[in-house]
């Protein structure tokens, strides 16, 4: 790789931290069949992102590539994830976002199908809501939106921008697909991802135990 936008040693350290996290997420079964994509900011104008089609359970620095904030490859002939735009839009919009994680766990995928018609899932009263940056109490509620799936990334990106305009957001689901979560660094993005995974599991279990009689409050679509 040539023309790295940061010191090579720093680049290697940043990639090593992300790759180790991705391997751990893959070990939980959250990245089946080479799915999912992951990135982290490496400078104001560049990010490192997973190369398309790589086995996330064996991810190494060589499986990450540099892109600019328009999603163009830098110093590489490899192809970045098809969903690169969903990463770069967050980096462009929020200077403090340093990492974006996208996984396809069973809980995430099933919840996205179950609540797609409602357009989202309200998570209220859980102690673990304090895992999300800026939340200091369980006496609150956040909504994780569920967006319709699309192979046209600009369409999805436009829908995400609309959600971001409406207020604080730590992640979203895509119907039949999976979860996007982010944070100021890898550790915070991972904390948000793990919190969403646990809370979605709680909602699915409550749904099963009550036979679908809601104890949660799905958010209605506004479109």
């Amino acid at each position: 790789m040539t023309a790295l936008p940061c010191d090579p040693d720093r680049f290697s350290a940043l990639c090593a931290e992300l790759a180790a996290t991705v391997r751990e997420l893959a070990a939980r079964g959250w990245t089946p069949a080479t799915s999912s994509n992951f990135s982290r900011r490496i400078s104001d104008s560049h990010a490192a992102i997973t190369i398309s089609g790589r086995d996330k359970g064996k991810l190494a620095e060589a499986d990450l590539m540099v892109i600019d904030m328009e999603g163009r490859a830098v110093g590489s002939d490899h192809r970045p994830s098809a969903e690169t735009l969903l990463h770069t839009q967050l980096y462009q919009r929020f200077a403090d976002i340093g990492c974006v994680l996208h996984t396809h766990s069973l809980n995430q995928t099933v919840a996205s199908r179950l609540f797609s018609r409602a357009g989202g899932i309200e998570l209220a009263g859980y102690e673990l809501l304090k895992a999300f940056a800026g939340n200091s109490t369980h006496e609150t509620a956040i909504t994780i939106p569920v967006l319709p799936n699309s192979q046209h990334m600009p369409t999805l990106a436009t829908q995400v921008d609309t959600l971001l305009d409406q207020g604080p957001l730590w992640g979203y689901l895509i119907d039949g697909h999976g979860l996007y979560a982010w944070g100021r660094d890898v550790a915070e993005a991972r904390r948000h991802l793990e919190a969403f995974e646990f809370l979605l599991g709680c909602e699915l279990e409550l749904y099963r135990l009550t036979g679908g009689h809601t104890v949660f409050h799905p958010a209605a679509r506004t479109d």
Side-chain angles (χ1 to χ4, degrees):
M1 182 177 292
T2 60
L4 286 176
C6 68
D7 176 81
D9 290 338
R10 179 172 179 270
F11 177 78
S12 292
L14 293 173
C15 287
E17 181 186 20
L18 180 60
T21 295
V22 173
R23 291 193 300 269
E24 291 172 2
L25 298 177
R28 299 184 184 186
W30 296 2
T31 67
T34 76
S35 68
S36 308
N37 40 78
F38 306 89
S39 70
R40 73 172 305 169
R41 187 191 294 274
I42 57 175
S43 74
D44 290 342
S45 55
H46 294 83
I49 194 166
T50 43
I51 296 172
S52 180
R54 297 300 171 94
D55 183 348
K56 306 309 184 294
K58 300 177 181 178
L59 201 77
E61 180 180 336
D63 300 308
L64 295 162
M65 61 183 293
V66 177
I67 55 170
D68 64 21
M69 291 305 170
E70 300 300 323
R72 296 179 294 237
V74 175
S76 173
D77 294 327
H78 291 300
R79 181 167 59 90
S81 165
E83 297 167 31
T84 295
L85 177 59
L86 301 181
H87 293 249
T88 56
Q89 76 169 148
L90 290 164
Y91 294 130
Q92 287 181 307
R93 181 158 178 159
F94 301 106
D96 62 339
I97 288 182
C99 180
V100 181
L101 306 176
H102 172 49
T103 49
H104 292 236
S105 79
L106 183 64
N107 281 345
Q108 296 158 18
T109 307
V110 171
S112 76
R113 303 313 310 269
L114 189 60
F115 302 111
S116 62
R117 292 176 65 87
I121 309 166
E122 185 177 85
L123 304 170
Y126 288 105
E127 181 69 16
L128 208 61
L129 290 174
K130 293 190 289 187
F132 298 106
N135 284 344
S136 60
T137 176
H138 71 281
E139 295 178 339
T140 188
I142 69 171
T143 295
I144 178 167
V146 183
L147 296 173
N149 200 359
S150 173
Q151 298 304 302
H152 188 245
M153 291 304 111
T155 296
L156 276 173
T158 297
Q159 293 171 333
V160 173
D161 271 330
T162 299
L163 293 171
L164 294 170
D165 287 341
Q166 295 171 0
L169 193 67
W170 298 266
Y172 59 86
L173 289 163
I174 301 175
D175 184 14
H177 191 142
L179 174 70
Y180 272 87
W182 51 85
R184 289 168 291 187
D185 51 29
V186 174
E188 184 174 270
R190 178 173 179 163
R191 189 179 79 234
H192 292 166
L193 178 72
E194 291 179 344
F196 276 130
E197 172 70 14
F198 177 80
L199 294 172
L200 290 172
C202 290
E203 292 292 318
L204 290 173
E205 183 67 5
L206 287 169
Y207 191 90
R208 183 187 68 83
L209 291 171
T210 63
H213 298 291
T214 61
V215 293
F216 48 83
H217 307 284
R221 285 198 187 278
T222 58
D223 56 0

